[in-house]
Amino acid sequence: MTDEIHASGANQAEQHERLRRILLPVAVLVLGVVLWDLVVRINAIPPFVLPGPGLVFGTLIADWGILWASLLVTLETTVAGFLLAVAGGIGLAVLFNQSRALEHALYPYAVILQVTPVVAIAPLLLIYLPQQAAVLACAWIVAFFPVLANTTLGLNSVDHNLVALFELYGAKRRQVLWYLKLPAALPQILGGLRIAGGLSLIGAVVAEIAAGSAGAGSGLAYRIAESGYRLNIPRMFAALILLSVAGIIIYFALALMSHLMLRHWHESAVRREV
Amino acid sequence: MTATFAGTPLVIIHSVGKTFANGVVALDNLDLDVREGEFLSLLGPSGCGKSTALRIIAGLSEPTAGRVEWRAGAGARRQIGFVFQEPTLMPWATVSDNVRLPLKLRGESGADSAPRVQEALDRVGLAAFAGAYPRELSGGMKMRVSIARALVTQPTLLLMDEPFAALDEITRFRLNDDLLALWRALGKTIVFVTHSVFESVFLSSRIVVMTRRPGRVFTELAVDAPHLRDARFRTSAEYAALCRMASEALAGAMGDA
């Protein structure tokens, strides 16, 4: 029925709109790269101060072997930290939801963990934990809180009448959790995951840099630090670009997952008819 | 004005009182029988505790004084359907999954409950929308889903808390007609909370008028009108007379408070 209302003209306008949303940022990127190139060329800036885009791209290809291996190490930490944060954040939020006492006892410490800068915690963790575990712990610490906070909010904002309805039909605690609270909290949980994805990458990078300065590590952040010491600025840029691309992919993958899971019912994922 | 009814009491409310934690006395000494097969409206100004009374009958709220008694036999498997002011649907579930919820909570499998879900949807005329999500439906259709969900357990008592208050008049009239048809077809006992004199007269076999704060029974009216109530009844002199009677009773209840 709605298909008929959407005449081909409206469809075309929609396609234009979509095209523009892709073309505009790409145009900005191209413009930026050209500007960067011009600045480097006109001022004849040496590569160890600011390499041009061509050189950075060349380095990315020439050093691909090293960079790719390092990227995999960092991504492994990121994904593991993210998954642990999701499990821990959702799990703890559910526990808090079932027991007020537990929430009151532990929530302040979750907040403290969140507000203490991870850069400050990383060196300590590196003393007490094996390096890989310390890096993972950092990724976990920064990604964990948004999942916990968002899930807690979601579980607590269930429609009171629906709670009454479940009670009326004699629902057990387990049923209220699975059939009501978790589905109701899904939009907030997915919002938490989107934040956590990017943060776990940041946590992994911060810890790797801290570990790198302690003399070990092979992740992408370590490559950046190492290249910095060696004044290999083009490789620094190449590694940085890889990190950004990884972050962007993580964000879009989670956004896509969120959209697919919510598209039938949640306002955030449903197109507004105008 | 007191009515006598043949139906035996299904639920008896004995001098029930409800005082909230903040000190508000919602109900005080409420005595009320709900009789088998009747369409009983609780009519009163907002804040007269009629919704509270309904929640106490449903067991969603505990009285602070008095007690609620179910007729022997009915008490063992007291089946209640409840329709809230809002449709109160799960937005993430399809229409048929929403209707199936009470059966699912009892542990029935999807295959077992499918025919009853289908039947309930047929009853409210929404069979074609079984796979739709609530956000795709209009306000009236959502309310129909809510009614189907309340009917799916085949309850003996259907409790409705101002279910049509938020709907436009055209939709409300249609749902009133359909609800009456359902009541006649299924022979359920219905307790219907409303603040609309016209709605209560159109629907009910008996109207209980309540006073405001604390909520108490002010008076009750039997609605001795033809069993077949339709659009013509809505414009009849008989209906107008009954509405005037109910309005006067309501005015009395409010003046008394």
Side-chain angles (χ1 to χ4, degrees), chain B residues 179-236:
Chain B
L179 180 61
L180 266 185
L182 273 175
W183 176 59
R184 274 197 299 271
L186 299 174
K188 307 252 178 253
T189 310
I190 298 181
V191 181
F192 189 95
V193 163
T194 181
H195 56 238
S196 161
V197 165
F198 304 100
E199 194 172 52
S200 65
V201 170
F202 186 73
L203 292 171
S204 318
S205 54
R206 190 162 65 107
I207 300 172
V208 165
V209 181
M210 291 178 65
T211 59
R212 195 207 307 251
R213 227 159 256 175
R216 235 181 288 139
V217 174
F218 177 69
T219 183
E220 63 174 73
L221 294 146
V223 184
D224 285 324
H227 228 51
L228 186 70
R229 297 177 191 178
D230 51 14
R232 199 178 300 159
F233 174 63
R234 216 176 238 129
T235 49
S236 69

Side-chain angles (χ1 to χ4, degrees), chain A residues 159-162 164-172 175-176 179-181 183-184 263-267 270-271, chain B residues 55 58-60 80-82 84-86 88-93 101-102 104-107 133 135 149-150 153:
Chain A
D159 182 346
H160 286 185
N161 279 337
L162 272 174
L165 187 82
F166 272 65
E167 190 188 318
L168 188 76
Y169 289 117
K172 297 171 190 72
Q175 290 177 316
V176 174
Y179 298 152
L180 178 60
K181 286 186 172 174
R263 65 183 161 162
H264 284 305
W265 64 277
H266 199 254
E267 302 299 335
V270 179
R271 278 182 65 88
Chain B
R55 294 176 77 87
L60 288 172
I80 299 171
F82 201 105
F84 294 88
Q85 250 173 62
E86 307 288 323
T88 315
L89 302 176
M90 302 179 291
W92 57 85
L101 178 75
K104 187 170 159 185
L105 291 177
R106 290 205 294 217
Y133 285 85
R135 65 175 310 283
R149 180 180 59 197
T153 55

Side-chain angles (χ1 to χ4, degrees), chain A residues 34-45 50:
Chain A
V34 168
L35 214 65
W36 172 13
D37 194 54
L38 284 176
V39 167
V40 172
R41 277 173 205 275
I42 291 169
N43 299 311
I45 300 173
L50 179 66

Side-chain angles (χ1 to χ4, degrees), chain A residues 17-34:
Chain A
E17 164 79 19
R18 200 172 296 170
L19 207 63
R20 217 170 43 176
R21 282 187 59 180
I22 297 168
L23 284 183
L24 276 179
V26 169
V28 170
L29 179 71
V30 171
L31 199 72
V33 170
V34 168

